[in-house]
Amino acid sequence: MFANRMPRYEILDEDGIATLERGWRRILTDVGIEFDHPEALDALRGAGQRIEGQVVFLDPDFVLEQVALAPSEFDLQARNPERSVRIGGDAMVFSSVYGCPFVREGAVRREATMDDFERLVRLSQAFPQIDTPGGVICEPGDRPLDSRHLDMTFALQTLSDKPYFGSVTSAGNARDSIRMTEILFGGRETIEATPALMAIVNVNSPLRYDERMLAALLEYARAGQAAIVTPFLLMGAMAPVSIPAAIAQQTAEAFAGIALAQLVRPGVPVVLGSFLSNTDMQSGSPGFGGPESALGLFCTGQLARHYGLPWRAGGGGLTSSQTCDAQAAYDALNTMSAAFFAGANLVMHAAGWLESGLVSCFEKFVVDIELLRVLQEQFTPLQIDEESLAFGAHVEVGQGGHFLGCAHTLERFRTCFYRPLLSSTANFERWLRDGGLDATARAGEIYRSTLANYEQPALDDAVRAELEEYVMRRRRELGD
Amino acid sequence: MFANRMPRYEILDEDGIATLERGWRRILTDVGIEFDHPEALDALRGAGQRIEGQVVFLDPDFVLEQVALAPSEFDLQARNPERSVRIGGDAMVFSSVYGCPFVREGAVRREATMDDFERLVRLSQAFPQIDTPGGVICEPGDRPLDSRHLDMTFALQTLSDKPYFGSVTSAGNARDSIRMTEILFGGRETIEATPALMAIVNVNSPLRYDERMLAALLEYARAGQAAIVTPFLLMGAMAPVSIPAAIAQQTAEAFAGIALAQLVRPGVPVVLGSFLSNTDMQSGSPGFGGPESALGLFCTGQLARHYGLPWRAGGGGLTSSQTCDAQAAYDALNTMSAAFFAGANLVMHAAGWLESGLVSCFEKFVVDIELLRVLQEQFTPLQIDEESLAFGAHVEVGQGGHFLGCAHTLERFRTCFYRPLLSSTANFERWLRDGGLDATARAGEIYRSTLANYEQPALDDAVRAELEEYVMRRRRELGD
């Protein structure tokens, strides 16, 4: 797991933080948040919050007290203990793209299948830069809607030994995720002691939690699992066309959900989620990778630290590009590097995102892995000491010489610099001889060879059998 | 001209700065710098520096005194006063790619010509993100070597009204650049009062200034024009395989040249140059765009501010990629954004760089313009105040609504977000209908339409005639 021990890039001064706090407080008290779930309304009413219909007018001081109950850092278990991660502090955890109905391979764009899902889980397992495949790495459209969460969870559990996300599509699905995780980890107690699931709870922004997401939030909170409470804000659609307004809204919405989770189970781990971008006012479509996404990340990171919460960066390798081209690359790096500068604790959509999140792209997956490799090296503190000054090399080489053959270089040439996975520095003639492939074509070769060399992590036969039995039984019960 | 009023990203603590200073001081005193020019040696000897052969052992305190004579900021004149720029402080000045023998358009890579040079100057003139075309935006291989600097300078002076760079290939060429600039600006006095030329003086690293560069440095310093004193450091070749060692070397080398310039003309403007990357130890070729380049920029910016000098970032849109693909885009953004985070004052190679600097690429030029547009927006401070909170919009839209039609959005939709030049957010079907062009193909359309719409800036007929006469006369004198 990567720890970001470099400085944070912070752009808010105290006045700015105070102005934003005035903003989110006023949204909670004067406009309120809608909760479309009786149990949520009961819990908030019981905590003395004023309610009209389904709209809860929250007391900001109460909300801050609830937020303070959430741990600033927590551990997330993997079935392979070496793959367990920390969420919070200096730790940065990277998860693959989530939620795409389509996949792209080379020039082919098509509906995603369970086979695609499994291959993307294998890629997530194979690349050490990815800490968790996440959850819905693509939507397996060839499996029945009612029960595909079982297939996905089983694949996440068996094809990878990294942590994974739980299903949030209904209370029942959340319970299935939790039950299957209990089986994998040897019982409820183990995962209550240290959570083994994260679940993305999206706000139905603006200012509304729908029944489905609240049901999932309540299930995961009760089980002591970690909700990533994420306002989904495209400015111009779900938020005003102003970054400060959107940040105030994001804080109000996320804090309201976090306050509810803490009412259900005080101290339950949560993650402050951010997924902030803008509508392209010319095309009317969502825009990703631009300045607004990066500025949103800088602000969110600073506020998360101010309020003592671990936080999620929306992405990760976001782009609106339709293909794995130059735009996809610069968009992705712009949000990915902003997540590093801002010190995000969980970076979702860190590999494979294309076409505004509609497409899981295999080549883009490898491009993003290269970005993660570069940035993880770039955000490792320089050691500056007498040895690093390499004075002896200067004495040896002197004026007008060459350092390639000097002792200092010979001792270090294997490890002294970043070694690319995808990028090529070959000269033009050599590159032509090697086929003249651009980076996307080379990425295609890399993901295919990675899949060919994939090794499935071992799993106890009895546990696998129990998971299979559970999936089959539940699939029957669901009528699929 | 863009002013970067966002915070600087700094990674060195006081100990780090002190260790690096110990490093560069020891290089100057114990290893020394070779100066292959009698006038330079005379000047340094006259200032009391110890000399053996052509190697000067510089007193670091003397060097710091000389460095302190250089202005921390200065103005650079353009013939159109609206295009004049500031070098230093918050100002960031962007120049096009420099020095490439080849060009690339679409799938064609070929030797550069004077026609290419002129078209690249027109592009530099047309895009407001570029403050100066620079100098050798490509090497016009179809013009005689001896006199092509005249053709290039004439093109820079007549096809653009932005500032430009002087030739550094010999003392005579430097004098031609200065003389032609005197003609354009109406006399020596004008350009001595405010410099109108910058010139790249590369160190022949390690620790050596060659005769050609010193001759140019001396000419420009005498004329009061600004030298960009730039150690050219590929770690593993011209520097040790250690970033701190390379930074210490860069500082020693640049300070030695700056000290010389200040001896020639105390107070002459100079720029601390940085061009730091690494050899790819697997291919043996230079590598650009990786973590080492970015870390080098963070360190250099901080040291430049520590010593009160304006500074140049090497790039800009650096990449080793052979074509304008995903790698070219992420490499370029990684160095370009690092230059912004580090607060570079002059960003060279900010548009068009490809293939480790061997190729000026027309499509890449447009990709880099898009990167500059994104970053200039991203590095503009957020206004966080009551109006920006847009509270009225939240009251108007409430829970579960949409902000597209609300009053706050309607008043601001034209200017509220970044508007791309190149990037597409079109949905897949629309994108396919529009031809399904990737970003590089669209960049091709943009540079061709930009050239088609180019308007040459007006120039006084008498000045033009005098420049033409000068070029013809000197060309004859040079035997071409």
Side-chain angles (χ1 to χ4, degrees):
Chain A
M1 192 187 56
F2 178 72
N4 182 348
R5 301 209 164 86
M6 290 280 271
R8 302 291 175 264
Y9 189 70
E10 304 206 317
I11 66 172
L12 301 174
D13 59 15
E14 281 185 26
D15 275 359
I17 292 176
T19 302
L20 293 172
E21 175 151 338
R22 192 169 74 237
W24 66 255
R25 283 178 171 258
R26 189 169 42 186
I27 290 170
L28 289 180
T29 53
D30 294 5
V31 188
I33 308 283
E34 184 177 350
F35 288 86
D36 182 17
H37 198 294
E39 193 180 333
L41 292 170
D42 286 349
L44 290 162
R45 188 180 292 111
Q49 305 306 296
R50 183 168 68 87
I51 298 179
E52 291 180 14
Q54 294 193 328
V55 175
V56 183
F57 299 88
L58 290 120
D59 170 9
D61 294 322
F62 158 76
V63 166
L64 281 180
E65 286 164 21
Q66 295 300 109
V67 164
L69 297 175
S72 61
E73 300 185 33
F74 62 92
D75 290 316
L76 182 73
Q77 287 198 71
R79 69 172 167 99
N80 176 348
E82 289 176 11
R83 312 282 201 182
S84 294
V85 294
R86 184 90 176 153
I87 307 287
D90 284 343
M92 290 187 78
V93 166
F94 301 93
S95 65
S96 304
V97 65
Y98 187 105
C100 311
F102 300 99
V103 293
R104 188 177 187 105
E105 288 188 275
V108 177
R109 176 191 190 267
R110 56 180 169 68
E111 290 190 8
T113 65
M114 194 64 207
D115 179 62
D116 294 319
F117 186 94
E118 291 179 351
R119 290 192 303 145
L120 289 163
V121 174
R122 289 189 188 102
L123 287 181
S124 307
Q125 171 71 8
F127 286 112
Q129 289 74 29
I130 295 294
D131 298 290
T132 157
V136 187
I137 192 165
C138 67
E139 274 286 353
D142 57 343
R143 294 292 170 99
L145 192 60
D146 274 355
S147 63
R148 66 171 66 144
H149 66 285
L150 301 165
D151 303 311
M152 290 191 274
T153 304
F154 184 78
L156 291 164
Q157 292 181 316
T158 55
L159 298 177
S160 169
D161 59 4
K162 296 179 178 179
Y164 54 90
F165 291 10
S167 174
V168 291
T169 37
S170 72
N173 291 6
R175 281 193 294 270
D176 283 332
S177 293
I178 295 166
R179 184 67 200 108
M180 289 175 74
T181 302
E182 291 170 11
I183 294 171
L184 186 68
F185 283 81
R188 174 84 165 202
E189 272 176 33
T190 318
I191 69 167
E192 288 211 22
T194 304
L197 280 172
M198 288 202 288
I200 304 173
V201 173
N202 278 333
V203 187
N204 191 351
S205 304
L207 308 183
R208 184 172 187 278
Y209 281 85
D210 65 23
E211 189 277 338
R212 196 170 58 98
M213 283 292 169
L214 284 171
L217 176 65
L218 295 167
E219 289 294 339
Y220 286 109
R222 270 194 291 266
Q225 306 306 296
I228 308 159
V229 183
T230 308
F232 178 32
L233 300 182
L234 292 174
M235 293 180 283
M238 304 85 137
V241 294
S242 156
I243 294 172
I247 294 288
Q249 177 182 342
Q250 172 183 283
T251 311
E253 290 180 351
F255 278 13
I258 290 170
L260 173 63
Q262 299 303 321
L263 280 179
V264 172
R265 183 174 174 132
V268 69
V270 292
V271 177
L272 172 68
S274 172
F275 190 94
L276 174 59
S277 198
N278 61 284
T279 306
D280 179 332
M281 290 301 189
Q282 291 170 288
S283 70
S285 300
F288 292 102
E292 292 79 9
S293 299
L295 290 166
L297 290 174
F298 300 151
C299 293
T300 303
Q302 203 169 343
L303 290 182
R305 287 185 289 278
H306 181 75
Y307 295 112
L309 289 171
W311 71 286
R312 163 207 165 177
L318 307 187
T319 179
S320 297
S321 186
Q322 304 83 3
T323 179
C324 187
D325 62 353
Q327 179 188 341
Y330 63 68
D331 279 350
L333 179 59
N334 201 38
T335 40
M336 194 89 91
S337 66
F340 278 77
F341 280 106
N345 301 117
L346 169 65
V347 181
M348 282 187 60
H349 309 300
W353 166 294
L354 198 69
E355 214 193 291
S356 298
L358 288 174
V359 170
S360 299
C361 173
F362 285 78
E363 285 85 359
K364 176 69 163 28
F365 199 102
V366 174
V367 168
D368 290 335
I369 293 292
E370 180 78 320
L371 299 184
L372 287 173
R373 295 172 85 254
V374 166
L375 290 169
Q376 290 185 1
E377 178 99 4
Q378 194 161 308
F379 282 80
T380 299
L382 271 184
Q383 194 174 336
I384 302 182
D385 55 13
E386 179 59 27
E387 194 210 328
S388 71
L389 289 178
F391 183 64
H394 278 120
V395 172
E396 180 181 342
V397 172
Q399 289 79 20
H402 203 286
F403 287 85
L404 192 58
C406 79
H408 180 268
T409 301
L410 293 177
E411 285 162 16
R412 289 166 181 80
F413 74 95
R414 283 181 204 283
T415 56
C416 55
F417 300 132
Y418 173 70
R419 295 208 157 195
L421 168 75
L422 170 64
S423 297
S424 167
T425 63
N427 66 44
F428 184 70
E429 292 70 25
R430 166 86 176 264
W431 175 74
L432 268 190
R433 275 202 309 279
D434 290 349
L437 300 181
D438 69 12
T440 300
R442 296 195 304 271
E445 296 187 337
I446 292 170
Y447 86 76
R448 285 186 290 270
S449 70
T450 304
L451 287 175
N453 296 320
Y454 162 84
E455 291 181 24
Q456 185 162 357
L459 180 61
D460 183 89
D461 284 342
V463 173
R464 168 185 288 272
E466 191 178 349
L467 288 169
E468 282 173 338
E469 190 277 331
Y470 184 89
V471 168
M472 282 193 293
R473 177 170 63 78
R474 285 288 295 141
R475 200 186 277 138
R476 276 197 310 274
E477 289 171 7
L478 292 164
D480 291 330
Chain B
M1 192 188 55
F2 178 72
N4 182 350
R5 303 210 162 86
M6 291 279 271
R8 302 291 175 264
Y9 189 71
E10 304 204 320
I11 66 172
L12 300 174
D13 58 17
E14 280 183 27
D15 276 359
I17 292 176
T19 302
L20 293 172
E21 175 151 337
R22 191 169 74 238
W24 67 255
R25 282 177 171 260
R26 188 169 44 187
I27 291 171
L28 289 180
T29 54
D30 294 6
V31 189
I33 309 282
E34 184 177 350
F35 287 86
D36 182 16
H37 197 292
E39 193 179 335
L41 292 170
D42 286 348
L44 291 161
R45 188 178 294 111
Q49 304 307 295
R50 182 167 69 87
I51 297 180
E52 291 180 14
Q54 294 193 329
V55 175
V56 185
F57 299 87
L58 291 122
D59 170 8
D61 293 323
F62 158 76
V63 166
L64 281 180
E65 285 164 23
Q66 296 300 109
V67 164
L69 296 175
S72 61
E73 301 185 31
F74 62 92
D75 290 316
L76 183 73
Q77 288 196 70
R79 69 171 167 100
N80 176 348
E82 290 176 10
R83 311 281 200 183
S84 294
V85 294
R86 185 91 177 152
I87 307 287
D90 284 343
M92 290 187 79
V93 166
F94 301 92
S95 66
S96 304
V97 66
Y98 187 106
C100 312
F102 300 98
V103 293
R104 188 177 187 104
E105 291 188 273
V108 177
R109 177 191 190 267
R110 54 178 170 71
E111 290 189 7
T113 65
M114 194 63 208
D115 179 61
D116 294 320
F117 186 94
E118 292 180 350
R119 291 192 302 144
L120 289 163
V121 174
R122 289 189 189 103
L123 287 181
S124 306
Q125 172 70 7
F127 286 112
Q129 289 73 30
I130 294 296
D131 297 291
T132 158
V136 188
I137 190 164
C138 65
E139 275 286 354
D142 56 343
R143 293 292 170 99
L145 192 60
D146 275 354
S147 64
R148 66 171 67 144
H149 66 286
L150 301 165
D151 303 311
M152 287 191 276
T153 304
F154 184 77
L156 291 165
Q157 292 181 316
T158 55
L159 298 175
S160 169
D161 60 4
K162 297 179 177 179
Y164 55 90
F165 290 10
S167 175
V168 290
T169 37
S170 73
N173 291 5
R175 282 194 293 270
D176 282 332
S177 293
I178 294 167
R179 184 68 199 108
M180 289 176 75
T181 302
E182 291 170 11
I183 295 170
L184 186 67
F185 283 82
R188 176 84 165 201
E189 275 177 30
T190 320
I191 68 167
E192 288 212 23
T194 305
L197 280 172
M198 289 202 288
I200 304 174
V201 173
N202 279 333
V203 186
N204 193 352
S205 305
L207 309 182
R208 184 174 189 278
Y209 281 84
D210 65 22
E211 188 279 336
R212 197 169 57 97
M213 283 291 168
L214 284 171
L217 175 66
L218 295 167
E219 290 294 340
Y220 286 110
R222 272 195 289 266
Q225 307 305 295
I228 308 159
V229 183
T230 308
F232 178 33
L233 300 182
L234 291 175
M235 292 180 284
M238 303 85 137
V241 295
S242 155
I243 293 172
I247 294 287
Q249 179 182 340
Q250 172 182 284
T251 309
E253 291 180 349
F255 278 13
I258 290 169
L260 173 63
Q262 299 302 322
L263 280 179
V264 173
R265 183 174 174 131
V268 68
V270 292
V271 177
L272 172 68
S274 172
F275 190 94
L276 174 59
S277 199
N278 61 286
T279 306
D280 180 332
M281 291 300 189
Q282 291 170 290
S283 70
S285 300
F288 292 102
E292 292 81 9
S293 299
L295 291 166
L297 290 174
F298 300 151
C299 294
T300 303
Q302 201 168 345
L303 290 182
R305 287 185 289 278
H306 181 73
Y307 295 113
L309 289 171
W311 72 286
R312 164 206 165 178
L318 307 187
T319 179
S320 296
S321 186
Q322 303 84 1
T323 178
C324 187
D325 62 353
Q327 179 187 340
Y330 64 66
D331 278 351
L333 179 59
N334 202 38
T335 41
M336 193 90 90
S337 67
F340 278 77
F341 279 106
N345 300 119
L346 169 64
V347 182
M348 283 188 58
H349 309 300
W353 166 294
L354 198 68
E355 214 192 293
S356 299
L358 287 174
V359 169
S360 299
C361 173
F362 285 79
E363 285 86 359
K364 175 70 163 27
F365 199 103
V366 175
V367 168
D368 290 336
I369 294 292
E370 180 78 320
L371 300 184
L372 287 173
R373 294 173 84 254
V374 166
L375 290 169
Q376 290 186 359
E377 177 99 6
Q378 194 162 309
F379 282 80
T380 299
L382 271 183
Q383 194 173 341
I384 302 182
D385 54 12
E386 178 59 28
E387 195 209 327
S388 71
L389 289 177
F391 184 63
H394 278 119
V395 172
E396 182 183 340
V397 172
Q399 289 81 18
H402 203 286
F403 286 85
L404 192 59
C406 80
H408 181 268
T409 301
L410 293 177
E411 284 161 15
R412 289 166 181 80
F413 74 96
R414 282 183 205 282
T415 56
C416 54
F417 300 133
Y418 173 70
R419 295 206 158 196
L421 169 75
L422 170 64
S423 297
S424 166
T425 63
N427 66 46
F428 184 71
E429 292 71 25
R430 166 85 174 262
W431 175 74
L432 269 189
R433 274 201 311 276
D434 290 348
L437 300 181
D438 69 13
T440 301
R442 296 195 304 271
E445 296 188 336
I446 292 171
Y447 87 75
R448 285 186 289 271
S449 71
T450 303
L451 287 175
N453 295 319
Y454 163 81
E455 290 182 24
Q456 185 163 357
L459 179 62
D460 183 88
D461 285 342
V463 172
R464 168 185 289 271
E466 192 178 348
L467 288 170
E468 282 171 338
E469 190 278 329
Y470 184 89
V471 169
M472 281 190 296
R473 177 171 63 80
R474 286 287 297 141
R475 202 186 277 138
R476 273 196 312 274
E477 289 170 8
L478 293 164
D480 292 329

